[in-house]
């Protein structure tokens, strides 16, 4: 799988991933803009409002009927955080024409439909459709309020908020309910115009693609301006230093407590991100990892015990579901594991299996259509670009000394515990 | 080997029933890096009472044994945990238990045959001791507790509680902390020896394979076992009527969750696949993204997202599930009921029917994008007595008349229940 990349206008790039593995073609359009407190909630609302209706598709029902007729093409809009950027995402997946019972041209229809929804919104008197904005505001309010529903994820979000207080990365990608009161059809449309004018645009197409597809896209974007996009490289170095770990405990009416520990990796050597990936796999990335083995298997303290590495911010997050009363014990065992990493208490087999599991994930990227797009988009946002083979090579080259060196620069920043309220009795 | 080809989606399955009774299905996928293998036994949480084929003795087991057994299979006599071995090989291994089957699987890019050695070794060599069984109770206890805080799971379990009075589908797959406390190694060995016989199992592989070669590799790794007759499973007699109309529970959620369910009975001679397709079409017509009722509920703020629409069935149960979030589930319940009555009286509009059929077609084709989904789908369908290609084969036989009839048969008000999870405030 290879990517053909063409900047069709300054700040607007088309990426083609030619593959015959899938029954579908996948079209994605991403808008990347710096994450800012004053824009975060507006931006979260924009994709939702756009896919509700456009100038030529007046209602959501019309759009959905069109998608049905396109053999259940799937349209989706969403929002992600990529380093210190906020990314507005649009997806349209449709069947490849060769699997249709009747002749059709679904890729053309998809390109037309998505560009219509994004660039030709329903506007009257310099305002979005008020009904759509109000409806989507309510929906966003429920998404934001709903972050408490998934307890493990909520604990994770809270830990990040505490670690990145008053910084872009600490912002919740869906924004804040208190902003919603100020948002109306007019000021939202103004934000949209700025976004369309200034942000970085990436268009991805994966599947069996006709030769003239780039020209088609160029034609569709004829009237879209060039831009000097102001996005932030996702691998920008950050000045971090060791701090006294913060411990935060919060109560909720839950049976199982969620423990999240946010760690800083305070090292800025070249290629350290590959070292950190291997470090993380040994610590908590696989079922043979130290955390899984010691917190779950040996101590029987938890059903879940794992860690993940956040490349863009150089953090590791440890997550466990435990009984509240076992908090100190679990924390102690986790700290022991971090100490063992520092002392180099892991062997060549641990390193080998950690590398294997990372490489296997990389190798499978071409087998999933959206994964390929996510990979190349990640490369697009970082300052250095790299294909799968180079990536694999970097992982293979990591040595034990490098991992141990890195371990000495890993420090706990925040310990966050979401616990069941203390009740009288046997809790 | 039997070759079943489907030209619509352009895929083939190679199928063989081995001498020892094991069914193997191979779905070759050229140029994929990933290789996926899944080995399942027809033993799930529903199978709580059965006759031991060797002695003819009937036994009743505590709730949660199938799932407990799944957890314990990884432990080997030499102290090694097979999950660790597979993980060291760089393959992603896992296992899961449903109400009608238990499955062991891995996906790999490299070291496939070493991993296959390990998989087929541990599934064929159980090792249970009093000590390792006791230890697992702590881990599974945490898993059960984790689901106590899962609003979606509680919603589903409560709906089952309303639909069924005796059917073991109403029991949590993992059992309860109380029921698993009664599990010991004898129970586990009894169940293992009964249900992990090749004649009660099936294996599916998907990836870039030569079918003959991979079949031989599988055969070479099988341990010979004495023949075993059919397992007689005993299920309680379940009335056709529901047990309870409504249930409501309070949990820490921001927005109420609802599940509307219809109890259905699958006739042994009925074409399950055809019925499933018709019900999927009906669900989309009633409350799918392009339906008038969804539009109305969305505009009035009662639904903010498309609800989940599902027909769930095995050999022992069948029901329709409609679930989502709403500030007022009663409104959804009432309007849906009215919409069903309206459609029954007036019949389904032909244009809508054809449009939704197109959508369903796309969904069936798209299922063949992912190696892991293909393998899991073929295994799960196999234990229901279905070949997954049947959905594409039966698609054209689903007519408007048939769908109208299914609407009348299945969406019956007396067979409907409502489960709600409300927030604290």
């Amino acid at each position: 799988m290879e990517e053909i990349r063409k900047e069709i206008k300054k700040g607007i790039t088309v990426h083609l991933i030619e593959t015959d593995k899938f029954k579908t073609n996948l079209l994605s359009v991403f808008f990347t803009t710096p994450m800012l407190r004053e824009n975060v909630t507006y931006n979260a609302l924009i994709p939702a409002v756009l896919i509700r209706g456009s100038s030529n598709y007046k209602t959501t029902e019309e759009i959905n009927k069109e998608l049905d007729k396109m053999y259940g093409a799937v349209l989706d809009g969403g929002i992600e955080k990529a380093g210190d950027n906020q990314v507005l995402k649009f997806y349209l997946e449709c069947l490849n024409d060769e699997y249709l019972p009747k002749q059709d041209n679904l890729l053309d229809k998809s390109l037309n439909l998505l560009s219509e929804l994004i660039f030709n919104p329903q506007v009257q008197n310099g305002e979005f459709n008020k009904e759509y904005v109000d409806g989507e505001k309510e929906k966003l309010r429920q998404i934001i309020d709903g972050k408490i529903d998934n307890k493990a994820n909520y604990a994770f979000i809270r830990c990040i908020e505490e670690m990145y207080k008053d910084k872009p990365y600490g912002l919740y990608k869906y924004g804040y309910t208190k902003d919603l009161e100020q948002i109306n059809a007019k000021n939202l449309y103004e934000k949209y115009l700025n976004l369309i004018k200034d942000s970085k645009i990436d268009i991805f197409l994966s599947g069996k693609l006709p030769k003239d597809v780039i020209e088609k896209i160029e034609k569709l974007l004829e009237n879209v301006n060039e831009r000097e996009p102001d996005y932030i490289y996702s691998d920008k170095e950050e000045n971090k230093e060791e701090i006294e770990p913060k411990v935060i405990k919060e109560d909720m009416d839950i049976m199982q407590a969620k423990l999240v520990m946010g760690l800083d990796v305070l090292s800025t050597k070249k290629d350290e991100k590959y070292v950190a990936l291997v470090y993380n796999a040994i610590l908590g990335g696989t079922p043979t990892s130290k955390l899984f083995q010691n917190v779950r298997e040996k101590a029987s303290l938890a059903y879940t015990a794992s860690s993940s590495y956040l490349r863009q911010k150089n953090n590791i997050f440890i997550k466990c579901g435990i009984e509240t009363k076992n908090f100190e014990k679990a924390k102690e065992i986790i700290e022991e594991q971090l100490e063992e990493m520092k002392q180099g208490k892991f062997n060549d087999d641990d390193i080998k299996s950690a590398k294997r599991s990372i490489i296997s994930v990389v190798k499978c990227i071409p087998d999933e259509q959206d994964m390929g797009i996510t990979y190349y988009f990640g490369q697009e946002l970082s300052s250095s670009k790299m294909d799968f083979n180079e990536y694999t090579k970097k992982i293979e080259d990591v040595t034990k000394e490098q991992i141990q060196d890195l371990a000495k620069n890993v420090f706990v920043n925040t310990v966050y515990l979401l616990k069941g309220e203390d009740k009288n009795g046997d809790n | 080997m039997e070759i079943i080809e489907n030209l619509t989606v352009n895929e083939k399955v190679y199928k063989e029933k081995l001498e020892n009774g094991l069914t193997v299905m191979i779905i070759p996928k050229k140029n994929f890096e990933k290789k996926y293998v899944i080995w399942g036994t027809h033993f799930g949480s529903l199978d709580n009472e059965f006759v031991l084929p060797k002695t003819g003795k009937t036994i009743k087991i505590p709730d949660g044994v199938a799932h407990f057994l799944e957890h314990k299979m990884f432990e080997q006599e030499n102290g090694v945990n097979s999950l660790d071995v597979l993980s060291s090989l760089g393959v992603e291994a896992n296992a899961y238990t449903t109400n009608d089957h238990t499955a062991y699987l891995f996906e790999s890019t490299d070291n496939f045959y070493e991993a296959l050695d390990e998989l087929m070794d541990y599934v064929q060599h159980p090792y249970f001791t009093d000590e390792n069984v006791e230890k697992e109770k702590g881990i599974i206890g945490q898993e059960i507790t984790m689901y106590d805080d899962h609003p979606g799971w509680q919603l589903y379990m409560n709906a089952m509680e309303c639909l069924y009075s005796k059917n073991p589908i109403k029991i949590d797959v993992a059992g309860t902390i109380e029921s698993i406390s009664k599990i010991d190694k004898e129970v586990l060995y009894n169940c293992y020896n009964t249900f992990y016989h090749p004649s009660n199992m099936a294996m599916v592989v998907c990836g870039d394979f030569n079918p003959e070669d991979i079949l031989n590799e599988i055969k070479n790794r099988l341990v010979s076992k004495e023949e075993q007759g059919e397992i007689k499973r005993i299920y309680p007699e379940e009335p056709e009527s529901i047990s309870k109309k409504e249930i409501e529970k309070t949990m820490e959620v921001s927005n109420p969750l609802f599940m509307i369910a219809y109890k259905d009975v699958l006739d042994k001679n009925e074409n399950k696949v055809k019925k499933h397709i018709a019900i999927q079409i009906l669900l989309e017509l009633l409350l799918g993204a392009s339906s008038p009722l969804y539009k109305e509920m969305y505009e009035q703020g009662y639904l903010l997202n498309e609800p989940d629409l599902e027909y769930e069935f095995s050999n022992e149960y069948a029901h329709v599930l409609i679930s989502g979030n709403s500030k007022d589930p009663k409104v959804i319940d009432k309007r849906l009921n009215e919409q069903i009555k309206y459609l029954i009286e007036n019949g389904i509009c032909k244009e809508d029917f054809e449009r939704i059929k197109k959508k369903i077609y796309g969904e069936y084709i798209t299922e063949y994008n992912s190696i892991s989904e293909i393998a899991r789908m073929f295994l799960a369908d196999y234990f229901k007595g279905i070949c997954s290609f049947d959905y594409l084969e039966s698609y054209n036989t689903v007519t408007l008349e048939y769908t109208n009839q299914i609407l009348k048969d299945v969406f019956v008000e007396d067979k409907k229940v409502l489960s709600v999870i409300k927030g604290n405030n």
Side-chain angles (χ1 to χ4, degrees), chain A residues 23-75:
Chain A
K23 311 292 173 193
T24 48
N25 291 326
L26 181 59
L27 165 64
S28 322
V29 181
F30 302 153
F31 291 80
T32 308
T33 182
M35 180 74 114
L36 296 171
R37 178 65 190 85
E38 62 268 31
N39 287 347
V40 60
T41 314
Y42 287 85
N43 286 340
L45 205 50
I46 288 171
V49 170
L50 292 179
I51 64 173
R52 283 288 316 268
S54 70
S55 183
N56 291 313
Y57 292 91
K58 295 287 181 218
T59 66
T60 314
E61 195 187 10
E62 268 180 64
I63 297 171
N64 287 329
K65 283 189 172 167
E66 178 64 20
L67 293 167
D68 288 349
K69 286 181 202 156
M70 289 166 68
Y71 297 90
V74 181
L75 169 70

Side-chain angles (χ1 to χ4, degrees), chain A residues 148-153 155 252-259 292 296 300-306 319-324 418, chain B residues 67 70-71 94-95 137-155 157 172 174-177 180 249 251-253:
Chain A
I148 61 163
D149 292 352
N150 181 330
K151 316 304 173 198
N153 198 43
M252 205 187 250
D253 184 9
I254 49 174
M255 305 290 285
Q256 187 181 75
K258 304 290 177 190
L259 168 63
F292 194 88
R296 171 171 153 144
S300 270
L301 280 181
Y303 176 66
T304 55
S306 66
K319 299 172 196 168
C320 301
I322 54 172
E323 277 182 65
T324 304
L418 184 66
Chain B
H67 174 260
E70 171 227 303
H71 268 240
N94 213 337
K137 291 178 182 172
I139 295 174
I140 295 178
Q142 282 297 317
E143 188 179 355
I144 293 170
T145 315
M146 187 170 81
Y147 281 102
D148 285 342
D149 289 329
H150 203 294
W153 183 248
Q154 296 302 315
L155 179 77
M157 288 314 300
D172 194 317
T176 62
I177 293 186
I180 63 169
K249 181 177 174 154
M251 287 177 84
E252 191 135 353
V253 292

Side-chain angles (χ1 to χ4, degrees), chain A residues 372-402:
Chain A
I373 291 176
T374 305
Y375 177 84
Y376 285 117
F377 183 58
Q379 295 296 315
E380 178 71 27
L381 291 188
S382 83
S383 54
S384 61
K385 314 228 183 306
M386 167 167 319
D387 67 20
F388 302 134
N389 293 335
E390 290 169 282
Y391 197 106
T392 305
K393 176 90 176 51
K394 294 275 187 199
I395 297 291
E396 270 163 1
D397 287 348
V398 172
T399 65
K400 183 170 183 187
E401 290 65 43
Q402 286 176 312

Side-chain angles (χ1 to χ4, degrees), chain A residues 21 23-24 52 61 64 68 99 136 139 142 146 149 151 253 255-256 293 356 363 367-368, chain B residues 9 11 31 33-34 84 87-88 110 142 149 252 254-255 289-290 295 298 304 355 359 361 369:
Chain A
K21 285 185 181 177
K23 311 292 173 193
T24 48
R52 283 288 316 268
E61 195 187 10
N64 287 329
D68 288 349
Y99 299 105
E136 292 306 321
K139 194 160 150 184
Q142 299 207 10
D149 292 352
K151 316 304 173 198
D253 184 9
M255 305 290 285
Q256 187 181 75
Q293 288 299 319
R356 277 174 164 177
K363 277 194 175 169
D367 287 355
E368 312 267 348
Chain B
V9 73
E11 301 287 355
N31 299 324
E33 291 286 338
K34 196 193 279 183
D84 299 352
S87 176
S88 323
D110 300 308
Q142 282 297 317
D149 289 329
E252 191 135 353
S254 56
N255 195 7
S290 60
K295 180 174 183 254
Y298 189 100
L304 297 174
R355 199 187 66 242
K359 175 181 181 169
Y361 175 88
N369 260 357

Side-chain angles (χ1 to χ4, degrees), chain A residues 39-177:
Chain A
N39 287 347
V40 60
T41 314
Y42 287 85
N43 286 340
L45 205 50
I46 288 171
V49 170
L50 292 179
I51 64 173
R52 283 288 316 268
S54 70
S55 183
N56 291 313
Y57 292 91
K58 295 287 181 218
T59 66
T60 314
E61 195 187 10
E62 268 180 64
I63 297 171
N64 287 329
K65 283 189 172 167
E66 178 64 20
L67 293 167
D68 288 349
K69 286 181 202 156
M70 289 166 68
Y71 297 90
V74 181
L75 169 70
D76 202 7
I79 200 88
E80 290 299 338
K81 191 151 65 167
D84 287 343
N85 300 299
Q86 199 177 10
V87 184
L88 289 75
K89 295 187 162 183
F90 300 87
Y91 287 95
L92 217 172
E93 182 192 67
C94 64
L95 286 190
N96 193 293
D97 291 346
E98 83 183 60
Y99 299 105
L100 300 182
K102 274 191 213 146
Q103 173 85 29
D104 209 329
N105 194 338
L106 290 188
L107 187 61
D108 269 9
K109 284 186 177 170
S110 297
L111 285 168
N112 291 337
L113 177 59
L114 201 56
S115 69
E116 158 79 17
L117 295 176
I118 296 172
F119 296 107
N120 196 16
Q122 214 178 103
V123 180
Q124 262 186 339
N125 307 322
E127 290 186 11
F128 275 137
N129 178 321
K130 190 170 173 308
E131 195 191 310
Y132 293 169
V133 173
D134 289 344
E136 292 306 321
K137 270 168 70 174
E138 187 47 36
K139 194 160 150 184
L140 186 62
R141 181 193 309 280
Q142 299 207 10
I143 291 174
I144 299 169
D145 289 342
K147 71 179 160 185
I148 61 163
D149 292 352
N150 181 330
K151 316 304 173 198
N153 198 43
Y154 176 72
F156 181 47
I157 293 168
R158 284 287 301 119
C159 184
I160 290 179
E161 270 175 4
E162 291 294 333
M163 276 174 93
Y164 288 93
K165 239 185 188 143
D166 306 318
K167 288 184 187 154
Y169 200 76
L171 295 171
Y172 184 46
K173 68 177 179 180
Y174 286 112
Y176 300 89
T177 45

Side-chain angles (χ1 to χ4, degrees), chain B residues 1 12-15 24-28 205 209 211 214-215:
Chain B
M1 263 186 289
K12 278 181 203 164
V13 53
Y14 294 73
K15 195 171 168 188
V24 180
M25 285 174 276
I26 300 154
I27 302 129
V205 288
F209 291 108
I214 180 69
L215 186 67

